[in-house]
């Protein structure tokens, strides 16, 4: 994260004293995709890439913000009707509004931010931005909001200001991240456990297809809708089923005739994925990375064939991984483009990367991007 760029950018755009500097990371997710809004488990970790923002209160009711990477400026008030036009500014505005809705008293501020989480790569650049401002404003205005609520503020920003009906995983990981540990999170109760992750002899690497699909947010919301429709159908026979997380494949089969074939497939994926997270957890306790990898391939298959959120490029990268003997590989995050996450034996790493780069380039005309995963701390004040 480029702190110097932010400090220089802030000083260049705003006269006077320096502000405080805050940072929040993006995230990876080992397994548990599209389970969060189904009340299920996820297994994310914060990474060493994220957003950095310098912020100084300005004593007015106006926010003046610079997105340094885009070289764009936005200025907006804090009332509902003051929503800015730029997408990036909506994240900051949304966080302010969600704080105010919860009774927090905040005022205007001057800010400049920059990030190194690749946009649209499935590493949650938006959650990193939301968490940075939620965390910072909570401190700067001494609001006393707890970390769980800070994560919910980021999530509500997506729902109410950005049109994405996301779960809590990304914002939770960005706020609660801990160096060297993944987080096993129950997305219903928000109970969580840090899981030290040090797969000796293996590397975790992301391959970014560098594909961003249009309309990803409407397709995402549609998946969520399918899950809720099926959960409601199951609930008629089994009132205890709040989310698909509570359902079994038997329960799903009971309503097979009542739901569409598409919704059935979506729900089948989710029910199996919730189970896979638990199996990965048990395997990790034993250091059994072969099973972890096998489940990752299972997730990919499910996301590709049942949930249908993969794409040609990601399926291709997954096939290359299989061919190279990579232990586990799958599309990561919401899907519709972005990265695969790969668990690779160190001895195979160089060969795999070489093969993935050349095969991908031959097929799609450009290379994928590679990111080594360093599991890092969550939202924090830097200066
Ligand atoms: C996006 C959402 C998350 C989660 C993942 C899929 O990253 O923001 O809430 O649903 O997709 O697991």
């Amino acid at each position: 994260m480029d702190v110097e760029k932010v400090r220089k950018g802030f000083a260049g755009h705003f006269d006077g004293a320096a502000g405080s500097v805050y940072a929040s990371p993006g995230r990876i997710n080992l397994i548990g995709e599209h389970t969060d809004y189904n009340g299920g488990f996820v297994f994310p970790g914060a990474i060493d890439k994220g957003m950095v923002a310098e912020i100084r209160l300005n004593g007015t009711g106006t926010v003046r913000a610079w997105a340094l990477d885009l070289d764009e400026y936005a200025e907006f008030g804090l009332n509902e009707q003051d929503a800015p036009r730029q997408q990036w500014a909506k994240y900051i505005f949304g966080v302010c509004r969600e704080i105010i809705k919860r009774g927090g008293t905040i005022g205007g501020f001057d800010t400049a931010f920059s990030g190194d989480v690749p946009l649209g790569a499935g590493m949650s650049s938006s959650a990193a931005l939301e968490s940075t401002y939620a965390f910072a404003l909570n401190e700067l205005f001494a609001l006393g909001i707890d970390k769980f609520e800070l994560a919910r503020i980021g999530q509500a920003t997506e729902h109410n200001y950005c049109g994405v009906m996301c779960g809590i995983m990304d914002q939770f990981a960005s706020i609660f991240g801990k160096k060297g540990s993944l987080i096993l999170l129950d997305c219903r109760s928000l109970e969580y456990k840090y899981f030290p992750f040090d797969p000796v002899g293996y590397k975790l690497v992301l391959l970014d297809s560098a594909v961003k699909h249009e309309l990803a947010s409407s397709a995402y919301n549609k998946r969520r809708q399918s899950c809720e429709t099926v959960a409601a159908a199951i609930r008629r026979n089994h009132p205890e089923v709040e989310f698909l997380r509570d359902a079994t494949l038997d329960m799903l089969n009971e309503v097979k005739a009542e739901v569409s074939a598409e919704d059935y497939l979506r729900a089948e994926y989710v029910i199996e994925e919730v189970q896979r997270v638990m199996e990965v957890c048990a395997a990790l306790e034993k250091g059994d990375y072969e099973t972890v990898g096998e489940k990752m391939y299972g997730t990919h298959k499910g996301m590709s064939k049942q949930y249908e959120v993969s794409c040609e490029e990601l399926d291709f990268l997954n096939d290359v991984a299989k061919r190279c003997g990579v232990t586990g590989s799958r599309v990561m995050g919401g899907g519709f483009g972005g990265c695969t996450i790969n668990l690779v034996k160190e001895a195979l790493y160089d060969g795999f990367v070489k093969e993935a780069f050349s095969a991908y380039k031959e097929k799609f005309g450009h290379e994928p991007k590679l990111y080594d995963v360093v599991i890092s701390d969550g939202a924090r004040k830097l200066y």
Side-chain angles (χ1 to χ4, degrees):
M1 293 186 241
D2 196 345
V3 180
E4 269 322 295
K5 176 176 181 175
V6 174
R7 302 224 83 159
K8 273 201 194 125
F10 187 90
H13 288 301
F14 301 107
D15 289 338
S20 307
V21 181
Y22 289 85
S24 284
R27 59 111 190 85
I28 53 137
N29 185 27
L30 184 63
I31 198 152
E33 227 59 274
H34 292 276
T35 46
D36 57 355
Y37 53 83
N38 286 298
F41 295 89
V42 291
F43 220 145
I47 54 175
D48 62 340
K49 297 179 175 41
M51 294 287 174
V52 182
E54 183 157 344
I55 306 175
R56 188 186 61 202
L57 307 190
N58 62 22
T60 72
T62 301
V63 176
R64 306 192 295 167
W66 275 96
L68 298 173
D69 304 327
L70 301 170
D71 198 26
E72 278 182 23
Y73 176 72
E75 192 172 305
F76 50 86
L78 295 168
N79 299 310
E80 197 62 30
Q81 66 273 16
D82 297 331
R85 269 181 311 102
Q86 298 96 321
Q87 185 59 33
W88 60 267
K90 287 185 183 153
Y91 293 113
I92 304 174
F93 176 73
V95 166
C96 294
R97 288 299 309 155
E98 291 298 331
I99 289 175
I100 293 167
K101 286 183 203 169
R102 285 162 175 76
T105 304
I106 61 171
F109 51 90
D110 297 342
T111 184
F113 72 91
S114 162
D116 60 358
V117 210
L119 301 179
M123 289 182 234
S124 295
S125 47
S126 60
L129 190 57
E130 291 146 10
S131 301
T132 301
Y133 283 93
F135 188 90
L137 296 178
N138 186 40
E139 275 201 12
L140 293 169
F141 290 100
L143 301 171
I145 302 171
D146 72 26
K147 283 168 93 180
F148 294 95
E149 203 56 31
L150 292 180
R152 287 196 193 93
I153 284 170
Q155 183 192 22
T157 296
E158 297 278 351
H159 289 190
N160 300 326
Y161 298 92
C162 308
V164 181
M165 297 306 293
C166 65
I168 191 88
M169 166 166 75
D170 304 350
Q171 292 78 10
F172 195 96
S174 187
I175 295 276
F176 283 82
K178 181 171 163 181
K179 194 173 175 186
S181 287
L182 296 178
I183 311 168
L184 177 65
L185 171 66
D186 177 335
C187 296
R188 171 163 39 206
S189 64
L190 295 191
E191 273 169 38
Y192 66 102
K193 187 174 147 193
Y194 289 116
F195 230 93
F197 186 73
D198 181 20
V200 178
Y202 293 82
K203 282 182 93 143
L204 211 47
V205 61
L206 305 180
L207 282 182
D208 184 354
S209 64
V211 181
K212 285 172 214 164
H213 284 278
E214 299 280 315
L215 300 177
S217 56
S218 63
Y220 180 95
N221 293 346
K222 201 167 160 233
R223 297 299 181 287
R224 182 172 182 154
Q225 191 55 54
S226 293
C227 294
E228 286 170 3
T229 304
V230 177
I234 295 176
R235 198 177 307 125
R236 286 197 280 277
N237 303 335
H238 302 276
E240 74 280 11
V241 173
E242 187 189 359
F243 295 106
L244 281 183
R245 175 251 177 96
D246 305 311
T248 61
L249 291 176
D250 285 342
M251 292 178 187
L252 173 63
N253 280 321
E254 288 169 13
V255 297
K256 192 166 185 175
E258 290 166 47
V259 299
S260 71
E262 188 177 279
D263 286 356
Y264 178 89
L265 270 183
R266 308 289 190 248
E268 185 182 51
Y269 162 77
V270 169
I271 295 169
E272 290 174 359
E273 180 72 353
V274 170
Q275 189 56 35
R276 274 190 288 266
V277 183
M278 301 329 290
E279 287 163 356
V280 159
C281 216
L284 277 181
E285 307 253 19
K286 292 186 281 185
D288 173 6
Y289 295 107
E290 291 307 309
T291 299
V292 173
E294 199 185 294
K295 300 295 162 195
M296 289 170 76
Y297 279 113
T299 298
H300 186 87
K301 195 166 167 215
M303 285 179 82
S304 178
K305 305 280 182 273
Q306 296 161 296
Y307 221 60
E308 295 182 281
V309 294
S310 184
C311 60
E312 195 193 349
E313 293 86 349
L314 293 166
D315 287 348
F316 184 85
L317 287 173
N318 189 257
D319 286 340
V320 175
K322 244 183 251 162
R323 194 164 79 223
C324 292
V326 168
T327 305
S329 175
R330 66 178 195 80
V331 40
M332 188 181 79
F336 315 105
C339 288
T340 59
I341 177 167
N342 303 275
L343 180 65
V344 197
K345 284 210 180 90
E346 270 166 8
L348 295 180
Y349 178 84
D350 290 342
F352 165 55
V353 170
K354 209 167 151 226
E355 173 61 15
F357 270 61
S358 66
Y360 194 84
K361 179 153 191 210
E362 197 185 318
K363 173 97 177 151
F364 298 108
H366 63 97
E367 287 179 345
K369 293 186 191 125
L370 177 137
Y371 309 106
D372 282 315
V373 173
V374 181
I375 299 173
S376 308
D377 283 327
R380 59 203 181 272
K381 182 174 183 186
L382 298 181
Y383 298 103

